[in-house]
Amino acid sequence: MKAYKKWLAAGITMFSALTLAACSNGGGNNEAKSGLKPSVKMSDYYDNKAKSTSTYNNGTLKVAEYNSSPFVGMTSPSLQTNAEDMDVYAPGSVSLFKTDANNKVVDGGLANLSLDKDKKTATITLRDNAKWSNGSKITAKDVEYPYEIIASKDTTSQQYSDDWQAIDGMAAYHAGKSKTISGITMPDGPKGNKVVIHYNKFAPSLQYGGNSYMWSSIEPYEYIKNVPIAKLGSSAQIRKNPIWAGPYKMSKQVVGESTSWVPNKYYYGKKAQIKHIDIQVVNDSNFVSSLKSKQFDFSISGGISTEYPQVSKLSDYTTVGTMGTGYNYLAFNLGHMDTKTQKNVMDPKAKMANLKLRQAMLYSLDIGALRKKFNNGLAWYPNSLISPYYKKYYNSKSPRYMLDMKKANQLLDQAGYKKKGKWRVQPNGKPLTINYGTMTSTPAIEAQDNYYLQQWRKLGLNAQFAGGRPMDMNKFYAILQKPKQDQFDVFSGAFGVSSEPTPTGIFGEGASFNMAHFETKKNTQLLNDMNNSKAWNDSYRAKQFKDWQTYMQDQAAYIPTSMSLSWTPVNKRVKGYDARPNATEFWSSLSLTSSKPE
């Protein structure tokens, strides 16, 4: 999942959604030379000040979504899981809150936020002029309804996490024991403009946008209220004729291929300047050629780092970017999701349950060399599941698994994985076949996948592609999102991370995105301690984050393999491209200085 990278490009850093994505191959000292740190620097803003003040905003802004698979077509923020959907619908999307450069919520957005630590309440007050693209008023019920959608027993959403139980009545609603969420009230009624959320645990992360205790988007209740939540994701209101609250509204779409946009006259904020926006899915392999032929103004999905040397030489484009927060990872299938309790359960008899087996497989890889070879200083082999973007919480001292074949073989021998002929067998003497799940992608990612198999086979492990070859992204995630699957023993994926770094929504005991099903008492405790009453002391909170990062590296259930700068080439006819975290009016701030890409 690389969603934050994309949200950053779109200036929408506030959704508390977590998403899945196609594997990104984004991503002068020794560490930089070894692929352990980025070495490229970029500006995070481009305004084209050298150009004439003349504008050509009656034209069309052309945006690329580089991906080898079609987008799913889910417009509802509560039901979205793929970052690609977030990308192609970004011009119509809006967050509830405005944030500052440190991601703290400030007044002036679609709604204001007031926190009362003593009463453990969060009050959300909508602005009076907030409307949907059909002219109807945005109401308190539009703020409350996403909680019902996400936490419903019948939902298809994957956004529910353990942290939501901090809301009074949420656990009972999620279990189907209550038809309403008692802790979310609307003092002026459903058609009013105020929502009060009552918490049994008041987390310090509530101060920040994109936190895991509060949803930061809205759903048009009056427009969708007659659709059962279980059928919402396939409804015409969501799939064919959605309405929007952002600066643009959709004028046309070819599902899986493109979306087109025109200004939303009812948008409360800064008015959109460009009359037309087209977002087109383009195969990764056409990244450079599409830019050379000036088909697009920028990429909302980000740049492809293997192609950076060619792109950086294009005179009509400049590269804009900042530190990303998403990452690629390797994970091991350790259990299943119990559909009755909605909790992940580790299976001690799982094929990959042995820690030494997992660690051995990681010690057999030179991931830093892969980053150095393929990523041109834009991506690196991280030592943590928390990006350095989060300066206060990132642990620079967490360990990495560096190439050590001798140690890898020793670990396997110690764990009882003895060779029997060409391949090692399980400690019980039974044959061992390790199925590796991965997605179709660029030649660089394909080379990386083949390298993984090569190295594991050098250890004597009979490793092979699950299904015989890399899979289409949508098929891949359809398998992983099952409560229990036995097709992948180890898999590569990518996570996009929301702008507040609490990772409970990905790695918590009740997280749907915890697709490796890693769950321990210590993991739960460390995650909870990031937002307990002591965590209002930021030094204490930072320590919990840092301890968790080291613990996750030691446990080797999920290991990050790549983090990247969040960057894109931007055509020089574009004015106002802003990749900074507080650029919450990204789409409205864009304008054009010529009739077509230069």
Side-chain angles (χ1 to χ4, degrees):
M1 165 170 119
K2 51 187 177 184
Y4 184 86
K5 169 181 180 177
K6 297 176 175 181
W7 293 346
L8 199 58
I12 303 172
T13 62
M14 298 298 303
F15 290 146
S16 51
L18 299 163
T19 57
L20 309 169
C23 289
S24 164
N25 66 337
N29 56 30
N30 288 334
E31 285 193 317
K33 291 178 181 178
S34 301
L36 306 183
K37 279 188 176 181
S39 59
V40 173
K41 294 183 179 180
M42 295 181 185
S43 171
D44 56 10
Y45 181 74
Y46 179 66
D47 198 31
N48 190 3
K49 291 182 179 179
K51 290 291 182 183
S52 163
T53 57
S54 299
T55 59
Y56 292 82
N57 291 332
N58 286 330
T60 300
L61 176 73
K62 298 181 179 181
V63 182
E65 165 71 19
Y66 291 102
N67 198 36
S68 59
S69 300
F71 63 88
V72 174
M74 181 61 69
T75 66
S76 164
S78 303
L79 301 178
Q80 285 175 340
T81 55
N82 287 336
E84 289 69 24
D85 280 350
M86 285 188 168
D87 288 349
V88 299
Y89 298 125
S93 302
V94 67
S95 169
L96 267 177
F97 306 117
K98 182 179 180 180
T99 53
D100 64 16
N102 296 314
N103 194 38
K104 271 202 168 184
V105 175
V106 295
D107 288 351
L110 175 59
N112 291 340
L113 176 66
S114 176
L115 300 177
D116 190 321
K117 189 177 176 183
D118 293 330
K119 293 182 179 178
K120 295 184 180 179
T121 59
T123 301
I124 299 166
T125 306
L126 288 161
R127 60 193 307 134
D128 292 332
N129 61 338
K131 293 183 178 181
W132 292 100
S133 58
N134 65 355
S136 62
K137 181 184 176 183
I138 295 174
T139 66
K141 188 65 179 180
D142 298 335
V143 175
E144 183 272 346
Y145 198 50
Y147 293 87
E148 293 189 36
I149 295 173
I150 293 169
S152 168
K153 283 193 72 175
D154 300 323
T155 192
T156 57
S157 173
Q158 289 196 275
Q159 297 295 342
Y160 189 83
S161 79
D162 298 331
D163 286 345
W164 277 36
Q165 295 180 53
I167 299 172
D168 289 345
M170 182 61 81
Y173 175 80
H174 184 54
K177 297 177 181 178
S178 173
K179 292 183 178 180
T180 61
I181 304 167
S182 62
I184 304 180
T185 60
M186 293 168 274
D188 302 324
K191 294 186 178 180
N193 70 340
K194 187 174 292 186
V195 173
V196 180
I197 304 178
H198 303 259
Y199 290 90
N200 54 68
K201 172 183 176 181
F202 207 62
S205 65
L206 285 165
Q207 304 168 90
Y208 301 96
N211 71 77
S212 57
Y213 291 83
M214 179 183 293
W215 192 246
S216 297
S217 188
I218 53 178
E219 296 285 355
Y221 174 73
E222 288 294 329
Y223 189 64
I224 62 177
K225 66 180 181 181
N226 293 324
V227 182
I229 287 175
K231 298 181 179 179
L232 191 58
S234 58
S235 68
Q237 290 92 325
I238 298 299
R239 292 288 189 160
K240 294 182 179 180
N241 304 301
I243 59 175
W244 307 90
Y248 285 85
K249 64 179 181 179
M250 193 166 66
S251 58
K252 180 184 176 183
Q253 77 166 323
V254 179
V255 177
E257 297 180 13
S258 64
T259 59
S260 299
W261 303 83
V262 295
N264 172 14
K265 68 178 181 180
Y266 295 109
Y267 179 58
Y268 75 87
K270 185 176 181 180
K271 298 302 179 184
Q273 300 178 66
I274 302 171
K275 294 296 176 65
H276 302 279
I277 296 176
D278 286 343
I279 303 177
Q280 178 77 43
V281 174
V282 187
N283 193 282
D284 294 338
S285 61
N286 294 326
F287 181 62
V288 174
S289 62
S290 65
L291 295 172
K292 283 185 175 180
S293 58
K294 302 173 186 176
Q295 295 178 39
F296 300 102
D297 290 296
F298 61 83
S299 162
I300 191 172
S301 54
I304 298 176
S305 59
T306 51
E307 311 299 332
Y308 177 72
Q310 295 183 69
V311 171
S312 63
K313 296 175 183 177
L314 298 177
S315 61
D316 297 318
Y317 288 84
T318 186
T319 53
V320 181
T322 187
M323 177 70 70
T325 61
Y327 49 87
N328 297 84
Y329 63 86
L330 274 172
F332 299 88
N333 183 19
L334 300 176
H336 67 278
M337 169 70 83
D338 186 324
T339 55
K340 292 183 179 180
T341 64
Q342 291 297 303
K343 293 184 181 298
N344 287 288
V345 178
M346 284 178 65
D347 181 358
K349 295 183 179 180
K351 192 186 295 185
M352 310 310 295
N354 192 299
L355 175 59
K356 289 183 178 180
L357 170 62
R358 303 196 301 270
Q359 291 176 330
M361 291 175 69
L362 296 169
Y363 277 122
S364 72
L365 305 176
D366 192 344
I367 300 174
L370 294 173
R371 299 288 74 79
K372 180 182 177 182
K373 179 177 179 64
F374 293 125
N375 298 118
N376 295 299
L378 293 156
W380 62 98
Y381 173 32
N383 68 323
S384 164
L385 293 166
I386 299 290
S387 167
Y389 173 88
Y390 306 105
K391 295 178 182 178
K392 289 190 292 187
Y393 304 127
Y394 165 64
N395 188 349
S396 63
K397 297 180 180 179
S398 287
R400 287 182 178 89
Y401 288 89
M402 304 296 285
L403 177 64
D404 189 337
M405 292 297 285
K406 181 179 179 180
K407 186 169 187 176
N409 277 295
Q410 287 175 343
L411 285 168
L412 290 174
D413 290 340
Q414 292 167 9
Y417 291 90
K418 304 297 184 183
K419 273 197 174 182
K420 190 174 182 180
K422 183 178 181 181
W423 304 117
R424 292 178 183 267
V425 296
Q426 299 179 62
N428 61 11
K430 293 182 178 180
L432 174 65
T433 300
I434 296 174
N435 296 301
Y436 171 54
T438 187
M439 291 175 268
T440 54
S441 189
T442 62
I445 292 295
E446 290 175 8
Q448 173 178 278
D449 290 335
N450 283 304
Y451 168 76
Y452 288 166
L453 294 181
Q454 167 196 300
Q455 293 299 101
W456 294 332
R457 288 167 180 165
K458 282 183 179 179
L459 286 178
L461 297 173
N462 184 12
Q464 62 187 21
F465 284 118
R469 62 180 63 84
M471 296 181 182
D472 168 81
M473 179 188 74
N474 296 317
K475 180 180 179 182
F476 173 85
Y477 278 121
I479 292 171
L480 275 185
Q481 289 168 337
K482 293 178 180 178
K484 185 176 183 178
Q485 63 85 21
D486 58 7
Q487 292 178 252
F488 305 157
D489 299 312
V490 57
F491 55 92
S492 287
F495 279 135
V497 183
S498 70
S499 43
E500 201 286 321
T502 301
T504 313
I506 301 177
F507 302 108
E509 182 183 20
S512 297
F513 283 123
N514 185 356
M515 294 170 295
H517 311 294
F518 174 72
E519 177 275 320
T520 66
K521 288 183 179 179
K522 184 171 182 179
N523 181 52
T524 299
Q525 186 66 54
L526 286 168
L527 291 173
N528 289 341
D529 288 348
M530 293 174 186
N531 283 290
N532 65 17
S533 59
K534 296 179 183 179
W536 288 88
N537 178 317
D538 212 46
S539 296
Y540 171 90
R541 189 170 195 243
K543 184 178 186 303
Q544 309 316 306
F545 269 92
K546 291 179 180 181
D547 288 350
W548 177 81
Q549 291 165 66
T550 299
Y551 176 70
M552 290 298 284
Q553 290 292 104
D554 290 341
Q555 291 298 300
Y558 291 90
I559 290 296
T561 56
S562 178
M563 284 183 182
S564 174
L565 299 181
S566 173
W567 71 283
T568 180
V570 179
N571 190 269
K572 292 185 178 179
R573 74 161 178 156
V574 175
K575 286 181 67 70
Y577 187 99
D578 196 344
R580 292 172 292 190
N582 58 338
T584 50
E585 291 281 16
F586 173 84
W587 294 100
S588 298
S589 299
L590 295 172
S591 62
L592 302 172
T593 60
S594 63
S595 59
K596 56 185 178 180
E598 298 178 0

